[in-house]
Amino acid sequence: MTSSTTDNDDSHSLKRKRQDELPWCLVESEPAIFTEMAHTYGATSIAVEEVYDLDMLTDGNIYGLIFAHPYEDDLPAPVQSDEDKKDAASVFFSCQIVTNICATLALLGILFNIDSQVDIGEHLKNLKSVLGDVDPVLRGNALGNDSLLRETHNSFADAQARAEAEAPSKARKGKKGKRKLTEEDAYHYVSYIYLDGYIWELDGMNKFPCKVAPAESSSWIDTLRPYLRQRMEKQDMFSLMSIVPGAWVKSNDDKLKPYNTIKKKIESQLAELTAQHDKAVDTGSLLFTSSHLSADELIDAHLRPVIIRKLEGLKDQLEQERIQLTDSDVPNETQIAAAEELARTRLENTRRKHDYMPFMRLLFEKLHEQDLLRDLIETSK
């Protein structure tokens, strides 16, 4: 987003002034960019996908959503009740203190809050651990000063913006002809997550996470869909991205589905038999109570411990087979396709990052020297 939060507090102003020494660039709303940013942080099991139709969103495989829209600076500030404040205590939220950080902040807002579901990498784990008890304003300032986050973010900006960001501070301040932001540039990013019975909107321009609606974990996307549709109807331009398990992770999940199904059945039977066994007469006293048991009950009492041991052994064997399957070096077709898609994404990002201007400048100079430029212009008309 092209404008940072405002505050009359002097310390807040000082924080922003320090950040002027380390500017953040604008980045495109491209899933490939967000995927590689997450992977650079260490969250390598997730992917970011474009959402073209709200009806294509399905519950069960979405960690969060990122909504990008033209920045509006005249929106009323949300109101937070004491109850909302209490419910929001478990949400890891950061205010936007730094200009243009909102794309990264929206991604981090999701990653920090799904660390119990996926591995988000050591860097983000350490950040969350250090900033866990810090208020959202100081947290936002700390994230804005993090070199890995900033360098990763800026690596996806255009060449001119990167050059300006990397220039010495005095050179930046005195630089003439600096690129002015257009309405197309002025996009803001917010994220949506489900946590502890509610859908939350994480917008760094607010002072706290905002409740959207109560929901169930199994159907929160269905609950959020009408709200998103309403927001989209108010915007002429927007983009929506979903954070989901990477195809390589989905492949492993599909491969392990039969094992997980059998494992659940075994665990259910074990729990039932163990509960029955705890209530039953132990084998040492069966001789004294056998007259009170039917033949079937007596057989069950004797066989139950044997069945429990057999099921526990089967469960251990199943776990060993599962480990062997996941450790297999032979990729399946889905994994190969996922790896190829990831390679295409990285190639796309490499091309996006490359500065083509020196080549183009030299090309036109040589064409001009050989008096070919005029002919090419005429031919193209």
Side-chain angles (χ1 to χ4, degrees):
M1 207 230 18
T2 58
S3 176
S4 60
T5 52
T6 58
D7 195 311
N8 293 326
D9 184 81
D10 291 339
S11 62
H12 205 152
S13 300
L14 286 173
K15 292 165 193 167
R16 191 178 299 108
K17 186 175 181 180
R18 284 201 304 272
Q19 272 303 325
D20 286 341
E21 306 300 317
L22 299 169
W24 289 60
C25 305
L26 291 164
V27 296
E28 297 176 66
S29 174
E30 281 290 335
I33 291 176
F34 284 77
T35 296
E36 191 163 337
M37 281 201 295
H39 289 192
T40 303
Y41 305 151
T44 56
S45 65
I46 69 106
V48 182
E49 298 178 349
E50 191 89 43
V51 178
Y52 299 102
D53 183 355
L54 284 177
D55 292 330
M56 70 184 281
L57 292 173
T58 57
D59 284 294
N61 67 338
I62 296 177
Y63 296 128
L65 297 167
I66 296 176
F67 183 67
H69 61 89
Y71 172 60
E72 302 169 275
D73 59 1
D74 57 350
L75 294 176
V79 178
Q80 185 183 43
S81 67
D82 291 338
E83 182 182 355
D84 291 342
K85 190 178 296 184
K86 182 180 178 182
D87 291 335
S90 60
V91 181
F92 192 92
F93 174 76
S94 308
C95 292
Q96 181 180 339
I97 307 301
V98 182
T99 305
N100 297 335
I101 195 178
C102 63
T104 287
L105 211 59
L107 177 61
L108 292 176
I110 295 173
L111 295 179
F112 279 134
N113 285 291
I114 62 170
D115 60 327
S116 62
Q117 304 175 59
V118 300
D119 183 2
I120 61 174
E122 288 303 315
H123 189 75
L124 295 190
K125 287 178 187 175
N126 291 337
L127 278 175
K128 184 172 182 180
S129 175
V130 171
L131 301 175
D133 297 325
V134 175
D135 69 73
V137 172
L138 293 176
R139 192 178 289 163
N141 187 65
L143 295 178
N145 277 290
D146 187 272
S147 58
L148 175 63
L149 299 182
R150 174 182 168 273
E151 289 166 8
T152 301
H153 176 107
N154 284 356
S155 70
F156 293 99
D158 64 64
Q160 182 181 346
R162 287 203 308 272
E164 291 174 359
E166 293 165 3
S169 175
K170 291 182 180 179
R172 285 201 309 271
K173 290 177 180 177
K175 189 172 181 66
K176 301 295 183 181
K178 184 175 180 180
R179 185 172 71 95
K180 292 184 178 180
L181 300 178
T182 66
E183 289 185 6
E184 185 178 355
D185 291 321
Y187 265 69
H188 183 54
Y189 296 79
V190 299
S191 48
Y192 295 92
I193 61 168
Y194 169 84
L195 191 66
D196 295 342
Y198 294 97
I199 298 170
W200 297 93
E201 180 182 87
L202 308 182
D203 184 345
M205 297 302 289
N206 296 326
K207 295 181 179 179
F208 45 80
C210 297
K211 275 184 186 176
V212 175
E216 298 291 333
S217 60
S218 59
S219 59
W220 74 277
I221 292 296
D222 284 338
T223 305
L224 180 62
R225 190 178 284 110
Y227 176 83
L228 286 176
R229 185 168 280 119
Q230 189 176 28
R231 286 208 66 172
M232 290 175 175
E233 289 172 353
K234 296 178 181 179
Q235 303 289 346
D236 293 329
M237 298 179 66
F238 59 84
S239 72
L240 183 65
M241 295 176 286
S242 61
I243 285 71
V244 298
W248 49 97
V249 178
K250 293 177 189 174
S251 172
N252 280 333
D253 289 344
D254 292 341
K255 191 165 54 173
L256 295 174
K257 194 172 291 183
Y259 287 83
N260 293 334
T261 301
I262 297 172
K263 182 182 176 183
K264 285 181 180 178
K265 289 182 179 179
I266 291 175
E267 289 175 341
S268 176
Q269 291 176 356
L270 273 172
E272 183 180 348
L273 287 170
T274 302
Q276 292 173 359
H277 182 64
D278 290 341
K279 294 179 181 179
V281 180
D282 63 80
T283 53
S285 61
L286 277 176
L287 294 175
F288 302 100
T289 58
S290 58
S291 59
H292 302 290
L293 298 174
S294 66
D296 289 341
E297 289 173 334
L298 192 59
I299 292 172
D300 286 345
H302 278 290
L303 290 181
R304 199 174 288 122
V306 178
I307 296 173
I308 289 174
R309 286 196 298 272
K310 291 285 187 183
L311 285 174
E312 287 175 342
L314 183 59
K315 181 183 174 183
D316 292 340
Q317 181 183 348
L318 194 69
E319 179 63 16
Q320 290 301 317
E321 291 181 7
R322 187 194 68 80
I323 292 172
Q324 290 177 6
L325 186 66
T326 54
D327 289 345
S328 173
D329 293 331
V330 182
N332 59 34
E333 291 182 4
T334 306
Q335 289 172 315
I336 293 172
E340 291 174 347
E341 177 61 29
L342 197 58
R344 282 193 293 271
T345 295
R346 288 173 177 165
L347 178 60
E348 179 185 338
N349 285 334
T350 300
R351 289 170 174 164
R352 179 180 283 109
K353 294 177 182 181
H354 185 71
D355 183 5
Y356 291 93
M357 286 306 297
F359 165 75
M360 296 300 297
R361 190 178 296 112
L362 181 61
L363 174 64
F364 283 113
E365 285 177 1
K366 294 301 179 182
L367 289 172
H368 177 68
E369 288 174 4
Q370 299 178 32
D371 201 24
L372 296 173
L373 192 56
R374 189 187 306 276
D375 292 339
L376 288 173
I377 293 174
E378 291 298 326
T379 304
S380 65
K381 289 182 179 179

